Each structure stands twice: as structure tokens, then as C-alpha cells.
Amino acid sequence: MQLLRSFTFDLMQKDDFEEIVFFQDKGTGLKAIVAIHNTLLGPALGGTRFWQYETELDALKDAMRLAKAMTMKAAAAGLNLGGGKAVIIGNPKQKSEALLRAYGRFVQSLGGRYVTAEDVGTTLEDIRIIAEETRFVTGVKLDPSPFTAYGVFHGIKACLEHVFGDGSLDGVRIAVQGLGKVGGELVRLLVKAGAEVTATDIDAERAGFFKNELGIEVVEPNEIFAVKCDVFSPCALGGVINDATIKKLTCKIVAGGANNQLEAEKHGNILAKKGILYAPDYVINAGGLIAVGREYEGITDEGRIKEEVEKIGDRLKRIFQMREEMAKSKVYSTAKAADAFALERIERIRSLKKIYQPLS
Ligand code: NAI
């Protein structure tokens, strides 16, 4: 016990976590971990992942990794939100109403320090059940995926402007990996704007659907990296930019919706050395978070949220500019510049002058 405690504190101290909460309910079989990384900017928002982890330590580490990423993502998106994430350990196919409601009660007990939403293994229906027991949920009214796609679309335009001096998509060749909720909507926006899209999906039926609907070219999943294009847009899995795939890329820009696109930090540098501009994933794919964050504040006007999502393009331009400044000290990766951009905002807010306010 002593060992476990000191081990968990070591993990927490390494990335300066505020709080880790373990919840269990024997009757329903609930085992959940909520990781609250940082609430300096606001409540820690992050989805609840339902997953059959091999070990409890894997679950803890996953919750912590994802929570920390949410701190950076919210900060870079200009939101007044902190970073948190929850995992429920178990088979997502075996969840019950009682388990979800028990979980909702525990989330409520955190008093709003953690706000939950949908994630891998949880559905909108699950979130609605959780919401029976807690008001600290969001993403119930607005579907985040179209906003994510819209943000990626504007991010791609900003990258084109940076590289080619022109943000127009007319005739631009784009290879899209993954035609799911984000990739599918992105392809619609790209085709409408005049881009020439080549895409792939492991689900051949899905790929065929988009080929018929939009007249795009479709290739096999393993062929997408070598497609001759201006922009490669990963919208499926993480880790797709790695030693093997980088060699195949012919593009000038990597900009897509997938999370954790770089397999390792070094791949950000390798892309830079190859002269490929990388749009840091958590900056370009923040449209969905912006939407659910605003929904939590009671704002559901889609037009207003879209205007805010469009600003992802300006943020990327600022990050590219920062990277150029950082290159003087031999930092070439735009992913590193994005981290500096997010941390700069957190530090700016941390250092706000503490003026006296009477208690209300
Ligand atoms: P999704 O599950 O709807 O779509 C993923 C698609 O990729 C599926 O159609 C799947 O068949 C395909 N796919 C999987 N492996 C593939 C491979 N090796 N080659 C080609 N296609 C493959 O998921 P969604 O929501 O579109 O998310 C896509 C990515 O964007 C994920 O990495 C997700 O974490 C990230 N993301 C999604 C957000 C959202 O609002 N939905 C927000 C931020 C990030």
C-alpha cells in the first residue's frame, strides 16, 4: 500500500497533477479513475473513456496522459477550461444504466472540478444517462465532430497560406486517411472548396460511399502515404507519422484531425527537416472541444461557435511564427512551438495581478 501510494504520487508530481480520484461501486461493478491535471484556467473538461484495460496501471496512465493533453488543448484553444479525463475500466459492451448512473453520482461529487463528455467507448446515449445524476456534463446538445472537421478545414487553409502564400483550396491535392465522423465531413468541405481529394478507409463500404457521393479518388489504406499531394490529412488513428511512413510522404503539409499523430516527439523534427509543415494536432483538431466547452457555458448558437472555430487558422499562423523565432535556439518542430504557445497562455493567466475583491 505504502509503495502504491508513493508510486502514484511520483507519477502525479512528474507532470504536476492536481488530483487523481478512484471510484468503485461493487453493486454495479464500476471501477473508474478521474485524472484532473490542471484547473488554473477553469474546470477540467475531458471525455469518459470506457475501455477494457489490461491492468489498472494502464488505465491510470492512460487517464493521466489524456488529461494532460486536454490541459494543453484547452489552453491553446483560448478556452477557460482545464484538463481532465476519466476512464471506466471494463468491457464497453457490458455497461449498464446503473453503472453509468453510479458514475454520474461520483462525477457530481467532484462539485464541478471535472466536467465529462463522450469519448471512445461511450456514446451520446451513455452521456445522457450520466447526466441524470450530474450537471457536470457537456456535448449533449451539440455534436462535436462537424466542428472538429470545420476547424481542420480552416487549419489547412492557414497552412496553405503559410507554405504557398495563398489559402485557396482550388486545385490543391489532398490525401485524407479515414472517412469517419471527422474525415468524412472534412472531405465534403474540401471538395466544395475545389480541392482534389484522394482518400482511404479500412471500411471499404464507407470509402465507396464517399467515392459515389463526391466523386473523389479512393485508394487502399496502405497506399495513402505515397499519394502525390500537397497536404496529407490524417483523420483516423494516432501514431501515423512514424519512421516508416515519413519516408513515403510527398506532401508539403501534414494537417488532419487525428489525435497524437506523431508516433514520437522526434518525428516533429524529422518532418521539419524534410521541409514538411506540421499543423500540431491538438491545435488544429480543437473545434469539437470549443463547441462542447461553449455548450457547457450555455452557448449553443452554431454560427457563433463556428466563427470561434475559424480562429484555429490564426492560432496556427501564430504558432508557425513562434517556431520561426524558436528556430534561433534550434527548435524546429511546430509541435514544440504549440506546447510553448499553450504554456505561455497558462503562465500569463497564472501571473495575473491578484487584486482584492470583497466576498460576495
Ligand atoms: P471515427 O471512428 O468516426 O472515424 C475513423 C475512421 O477511420 C473510420 O471510418 C475507420 O474505419 C477509419 N480507419 C481506421 N483505421 C484506419 C486506417 N488504418 N486507414 C484508413 N482508415 C482507417 O472517428 P472520428 O470521430 O472521425 O475521429 C477520427 C480521429 O480524430 C481520431 O483520432 C479522433 O481521436 C480524432 N478526433 C476526433 C474528434 C471528434 O470531434 N470526433 C475531436 C478531436 C480529435
Side-chain angles (χ1 to χ4, degrees):
M1 191 60 197
Q2 182 60 38
L3 237 178
L4 175 69
R5 199 174 305 136
S6 100
F7 175 71
T8 309
F9 277 120
D10 284 352
L11 278 182
M12 287 177 76
Q13 276 174 348
K14 186 170 153 281
D15 285 313
D16 204 9
F17 271 75
E18 287 178 14
E19 187 175 4
I20 309 272
V21 190
F22 294 79
F23 292 132
Q24 79 78 31
D25 179 56
K26 205 169 168 189
T28 60
L30 173 74
K31 279 187 193 169
I33 304 171
V34 179
I36 297 177
H37 177 243
N38 189 297
T39 57
L40 193 124
L41 296 177
L45 192 150
T48 297
R49 187 161 286 199
F50 206 124
W51 200 250
Q52 187 87 66
Y53 290 95
E54 284 207 358
T55 68
E56 288 169 11
L57 183 58
D58 287 347
L60 173 64
K61 284 189 173 169
D62 204 29
M64 292 177 77
R65 178 181 66 85
L66 295 162
K68 188 181 165 210
M70 290 305 294
T71 299
M72 303 297 277
K73 188 167 179 168
L79 294 164
N80 292 324
L81 292 170
K85 202 87 181 182
V87 297
I88 299 180
I89 304 168
N91 182 345
K93 288 189 182 132
Q94 287 167 7
K95 58 195 160 200
S96 64
E97 181 198 348
L99 181 145
L100 293 169
R101 289 183 73 148
Y103 172 67
R105 284 182 171 234
F106 284 126
V107 170
Q108 180 67 17
S109 76
L110 295 175
R113 276 173 50 68
Y114 168 68
V115 179
T116 197
E118 201 180 320
D119 198 75
V120 176
T122 49
T123 62
L124 185 54
E125 191 43 43
D126 297 335
I127 298 303
R128 289 198 173 123
I129 295 172
I130 292 167
E132 302 266 331
E133 302 292 345
T134 177
R135 61 193 164 91
F136 304 122
V137 290
T138 187
V140 180
K141 293 185 185 133
L142 295 175
D143 175 3
S145 305
F147 292 99
T148 303
Y150 190 66
V152 174
F153 175 77
H154 281 278
I156 290 176
K157 282 167 74 76
C159 292
L160 289 169
E161 208 176 311
H162 185 81
V163 172
F164 300 112
D166 179 1
S168 162
L169 279 150
D170 202 23
V172 172
R173 292 165 307 166
I174 306 193
V176 179
Q177 182 191 37
L179 288 163
K181 295 190 289 287
V182 175
E185 180 60 23
L186 173 66
V187 167
R188 281 197 187 96
L189 294 170
L190 292 173
V191 169
K192 203 167 156 205
E196 287 173 24
V197 177
T198 303
T200 192
D201 199 293
I202 45 166
D203 180 341
E205 211 174 300
R206 236 187 133 65
F209 172 82
F210 280 93
K211 187 178 174 183
N212 292 337
E213 186 194 314
L214 301 169
I216 60 167
E217 188 189 353
V218 164
V219 295
E220 290 298 317
N222 60 354
E223 291 170 357
I224 195 72
F225 301 102
V227 166
K228 269 205 165 323
C229 61
D230 304 299
V231 182
F232 172 60
S233 186
C235 294
L237 313 164
V240 288
I241 305 297
N242 55 47
D243 290 343
T245 58
I246 281 185
K247 288 187 198 133
K248 298 183 190 168
L249 296 178
T250 65
C251 57
K252 283 276 167 221
I253 294 165
V254 172
N259 277 318
N260 306 316
Q261 291 169 30
L262 304 177
E263 189 184 74
E265 208 177 293
K266 68 171 183 177
H267 296 113
N269 290 323
I270 302 177
L271 283 178
K273 279 190 196 136
K274 276 193 72 160
I276 300 175
L277 182 71
Y278 169 63
D281 45 19
Y282 68 76
V283 180
I284 193 170
N285 74 13
L289 177 65
I290 292 171
V292 299
R294 291 303 175 213
E295 179 186 318
Y296 188 64
E297 292 170 356
I299 298 165
T300 49
D301 175 344
E302 294 196 14
R304 179 174 160 184
I305 296 171
K306 273 175 119 180
E307 266 174 35
E308 195 178 338
V309 171
E310 283 169 22
K311 294 195 185 120
I312 284 176
D314 295 335
R315 280 195 198 104
L316 285 172
K317 286 186 207 161
R318 172 75 192 111
I319 288 165
F320 299 151
Q321 206 180 358
M322 276 178 83
R323 192 270 303 260
E324 271 155 34
E325 287 152 21
M326 287 164 75
K328 289 176 200 143
S329 16
K330 303 216 174 325
V331 176
Y332 302 104
S333 159
T334 49
K336 279 269 163 217
D339 291 349
F341 178 78
L343 291 173
E344 194 181 272
R345 177 157 179 259
I346 294 173
E347 288 315 314
R348 246 191 345 258
I349 305 295
R350 195 194 300 278
S351 65
L352 284 181
K353 194 171 172 190
K354 313 261 182 319
I355 53 168
Y356 170 74
Q357 292 187 59
L359 295 173
S360 54

